[in-house]
Amino acid sequence: MKLVVPDLISNSYFPVIAAADLGFFAREGLDLQVELLFPVSEAYEALRAGKVDFVGGSAHSALAAFPRFEGVKLLAAQAQGMYWFLVMRTDIGARRGQIECVKGRTIGAAPWVEMGLRALLSAAGIGIDRDEVRIVPVPGSQGASVNFGVTAARALAERRIDGFWANGMGTEVAVREGAGTVVLDVRRGDGPKGCFDYTLSALAASEALIGRAPELAASAVRALVATQAALREDPGLARSVGVKRFPAVEAELITPLIRRDLPYYDARISPQTVSGMCQFAQRLGILDRNLAYEDVVATAYSALWDGPAR
């Protein structure tokens, strides 16, 4: 079986990567390989085509392949909240929370990921066209083997973009190298009201798989929840995954990044999150009506989100 993520050298989808590499999928009887498939729209299209069994990606991006979430369900959250950072070149001199620094600038962002930035800027009163904000693909990010956040950090350092909207690993690399400054960290309170619930990092499966093999989906959820618990208990486990998967620098960075993310390691998907995500999607024109909670979430697995009974 196969699970795909749109960025591999990253903390964004680390819970499912760790579930494979630390043996939690295997303990549930799943022979599940985790691979990179960028961008996230292609990951969900592969799910729709039956080429992969699960996607670990941004929840709203399921709409790229499944209009109105018809044919797909979110099984669980890898972590809570919209998880991308706005990072600007250090020489621009932007301060934390200074959203208006994007005016007249070129910001790199991945397909579908950029929607979170567009909606956030709109909510902050910034007009993409009026204020000449150019949101573009990150130079060098095309290609099946590219890891987006790290590529974004490199493009920022080379001054090919003024800023980027990307994951915590790319952010950490840019900040440590002195190339970038964090302007927005939505997960930790920055940005306009409500943007936390625009999306989250989720585990998704097709309704075809859930209908055909509901216990496989349940096993995947149990493995994810067990992995979250194990990392909360011992964040140092992250390093063994990083050494296997990441270049040397990023392998050393992953443990502090995971430790920082632990407060958001909760597999639950709340009605508030689904409502916020649907409103966000409607404002962007990728969803044409409100959806019921059950239209989006595989509620049959919600009892598994808290882990085994104590």
Side-chain angles (χ1 to χ4, degrees), residues 1-309:
M1 302 182 72
K2 186 181 294 186
L3 187 159
V4 292
V5 296
D7 207 354
L8 197 59
I9 304 175
S10 170
N11 55 315
S12 299
Y13 315 112
F14 195 81
V16 294
I17 299 168
D21 291 1
L22 296 177
F24 287 98
F25 283 138
R27 292 178 200 178
E28 289 291 336
L30 296 176
D31 182 10
L32 190 57
Q33 305 299 313
V34 176
E35 299 179 4
L36 173 68
L37 182 55
F38 174 86
V40 67
S41 54
E42 290 194 16
Y44 279 110
E45 287 164 6
L47 184 68
R48 182 186 62 190
K51 296 178 180 178
V52 304
D53 302 287
F54 300 96
V55 170
S58 47
H60 77 283
S61 300
L63 291 165
F66 299 93
R68 297 180 179 173
F69 279 84
E70 293 171 354
V72 68
K73 288 290 182 287
L74 305 181
L75 299 176
Q78 295 189 59
Q80 300 294 307
M82 187 162 69
Y83 46 96
W84 300 302
F85 296 73
L86 177 63
V87 177
M88 301 298 290
R89 276 199 343 260
T90 302
D91 63 288
I92 290 172
R95 301 183 304 275
R96 184 76 172 259
Q98 192 180 6
I99 304 177
E100 60 272 18
C101 71
V102 300
K103 293 180 179 180
R105 302 291 183 178
T106 299
I107 313 298
W112 285 79
V113 171
E114 48 83 23
M115 293 180 179
L117 178 61
R118 290 180 184 277
L120 183 154
L121 294 180
S122 177
I126 295 173
I128 303 296
D129 296 328
R130 182 192 68 232
D131 292 315
E132 299 181 339
V133 184
R134 297 174 294 278
I135 301 176
V136 302
V138 167
S141 63
Q142 295 74 26
S145 63
V146 170
N147 289 279
F148 186 83
V150 176
T151 303
R154 185 179 307 119
L156 189 74
E158 294 171 355
R159 301 176 64 85
R160 290 189 285 169
I161 50 178
D162 299 314
F164 64 72
W165 174 251
N167 63 54
M169 180 63 80
T171 296
E172 192 71 12
V173 170
V175 169
R176 287 186 178 232
E177 290 181 348
T181 299
V182 175
V183 174
L184 293 180
D185 178 352
V186 170
R187 185 176 265 172
R188 294 163 185 86
D190 296 339
K193 182 179 179 180
C195 60
F196 181 91
D197 287 321
Y198 285 177
T199 194
L200 50 64
S201 177
L203 174 65
S206 67
E207 289 185 329
L209 181 140
I210 294 170
R212 181 179 72 250
E215 186 53 33
L216 287 180
S219 295
V221 174
R222 284 193 293 266
L224 170 59
V225 172
T227 305
Q228 291 169 326
L231 290 168
R232 284 195 298 267
E233 181 71 21
D234 181 8
L237 292 171
R239 188 178 183 279
S240 64
V241 179
V243 168
K244 177 180 178 181
R245 294 271 189 174
F246 302 170
V249 171
E250 288 78 10
E252 294 304 319
L253 293 179
I254 192 61
T255 296
L257 289 181
I258 296 309
R259 186 176 286 112
R260 188 177 66 187
D261 284 348
L262 291 178
Y264 305 95
Y265 274 17
D266 183 342
R268 288 173 287 187
I269 302 174
S270 71
Q272 175 182 318
T273 292
V274 170
S275 176
M277 180 177 65
C278 288
Q279 291 175 40
F280 154 73
Q282 287 180 84
R283 287 196 298 272
L284 290 172
I286 56 175
L287 181 64
D288 62 359
R289 62 176 174 82
N290 286 326
L291 299 178
Y293 181 70
E294 296 77 11
D295 293 333
V296 177
V297 177
T299 56
Y301 303 109
S302 62
L304 303 177
W305 293 340
D306 290 323

